[in-house]
Amino acid sequence: EPEVTQTPSHQVTQMGQEVILRCVPISNHLYFYWYRQILGQKVEFLVSFYNNEISEKSEIFDDQFSVERPDGSNFTLKIRSTKLEDSAMYFCASRTTGGLWAPDNSPLHFGNGTRLTVT
Amino acid sequence: GENVEQHPSTLSVQEGDSAVIKCTYSDSASNYFPWYKQELGKGPQLIIDIRSNVGEKKDQRIAVTLNKTAKHFSLHITETQPEDSAVYFCAASRSSASKIIFGSGTRLSIRP
């Protein structure tokens, strides 16, 4: 079964450094998302991306964050200047709702996440 | 704003017994309600979902119910097994491309 893959599985970075988290969504999916989960807490929405632009973002997703789909397969999350409080598990997700025969609200498929540790 | 409340935060049941997790949502425009299971070190995995035009859905030992009037939905797991131990998240979404809002999670432990 196709799956969302994320790299790296664990990233350690120093405060103030830039970090890029990478994701390869499922190939026929149209909508892409980043979520984060601080240890022991709920999964929080960051941003959604469709047709090469951001469709929605949360208040967490400030100017330090950006997303890109540079080559039609990878979907990246960049944090420009990391802070200690950015330490979390970051999950990429994708889904498709395209086509006449696809049901509305198709399931969201998550990757296994990148654990980001900011020191 | 949109919010999903989930209870209980932890749940311990004897193997073979049933487990029930309950959620409420605030956004009356929500019409899609998935449930995710998260095992240690992994991303959330969809286990079952329900749409607003349906009141109940069952898949083997798992069932979900939805009360749109009360904005409540629940997950029921019958004949629990050790491999059911995990964190379970309810979630709600408005429409096909909208973000999914998660509840705070329930850590389910199955006692042998």
Side-chain angles (χ1 to χ4, degrees):
Chain A
E1 185 178 322
E3 54 183 34
V4 176
T5 56
Q6 289 187 245
T7 55
S9 56
H10 192 186
Q11 173 92 44
V12 181
T13 190
Q14 287 193 322
M15 196 168 54
Q17 295 296 302
E18 175 183 286
V19 67
I20 297 176
L21 310 182
R22 301 181 193 279
C23 169
V24 179
I26 295 173
S27 62
N28 65 340
H29 283 190
L30 304 174
Y31 295 89
F32 313 107
Y33 303 80
W34 283 100
Y35 283 79
R36 81 171 185 192
Q37 185 179 32
I38 293 170
L39 189 64
Q41 298 186 24
K42 67 162 66 176
V43 180
E44 300 175 290
F45 170 76
L46 292 179
V47 66
S48 59
F49 191 86
Y50 170 70
N51 200 24
N52 276 324
E53 60 183 24
I54 290 173
S55 45
E56 196 168 4
K57 60 183 180 179
S58 72
E59 57 195 27
I60 302 168
F61 195 88
D62 61 23
D63 291 345
Q64 293 300 310
F65 291 86
S66 62
V67 289
E68 197 177 32
R69 190 160 154 79
D71 56 12
S73 62
N74 291 285
F75 179 51
T76 62
L77 174 70
K78 182 194 289 186
I79 308 174
R80 243 180 292 282
S81 177
T82 49
K83 303 188 280 280
L84 293 175
E85 53 265 37
D86 293 328
S87 294
M89 198 75 168
Y90 287 80
F91 292 105
C92 173
S94 68
R95 65 177 170 179
T96 183
T97 57
L100 283 175
W101 308 113
D104 197 21
N105 295 319
S106 62
L108 200 59
H109 295 260
F110 284 85
N112 282 332
T114 293
R115 180 171 298 285
L116 177 66
T117 302
V118 182
T119 61
Chain B
E2 301 138 328
N3 192 37
V4 177
E5 298 283 339
Q6 183 171 349
H7 300 281
S9 56
T10 60
L11 180 60
S12 178
V13 301
Q14 194 74 36
E15 183 178 349
D17 288 351
S18 296
V20 180
I21 302 170
K22 298 185 179 184
C23 291
T24 60
Y25 61 97
S26 60
D27 184 358
S28 55
S30 296
N31 61 9
Y32 174 64
F33 306 92
W35 285 85
Y36 287 86
K37 177 182 182 181
Q38 187 178 28
E39 296 174 324
L40 198 61
K42 294 191 175 180
Q45 300 296 311
L46 180 75
I47 54 171
I48 195 167
D49 56 13
I50 190 167
R51 293 176 173 79
S52 60
N53 57 347
V54 174
E56 187 171 350
K57 183 176 176 181
K58 192 172 180 182
D59 182 5
Q60 299 181 6
R61 296 187 296 110
I62 295 173
V64 290
T65 58
L66 171 64
N67 181 332
K68 276 217 82 176
T69 305
K71 296 184 194 169
H72 290 171
F73 57 118
S74 302
L75 175 73
H76 303 250
I77 306 174
T78 58
E79 300 171 25
T80 52
Q81 299 169 4
E83 54 265 35
D84 294 331
S85 294
V87 179
Y88 290 81
F89 291 96
C90 62
S93 172
R94 277 188 175 189
S95 67
S96 55
S98 290
K99 63 188 183 235
I100 287 177
I101 302 297
F102 283 80
S104 52
T106 296
R107 182 172 299 279
L108 176 63
S109 302
I110 307 301
R111 302 191 303 270

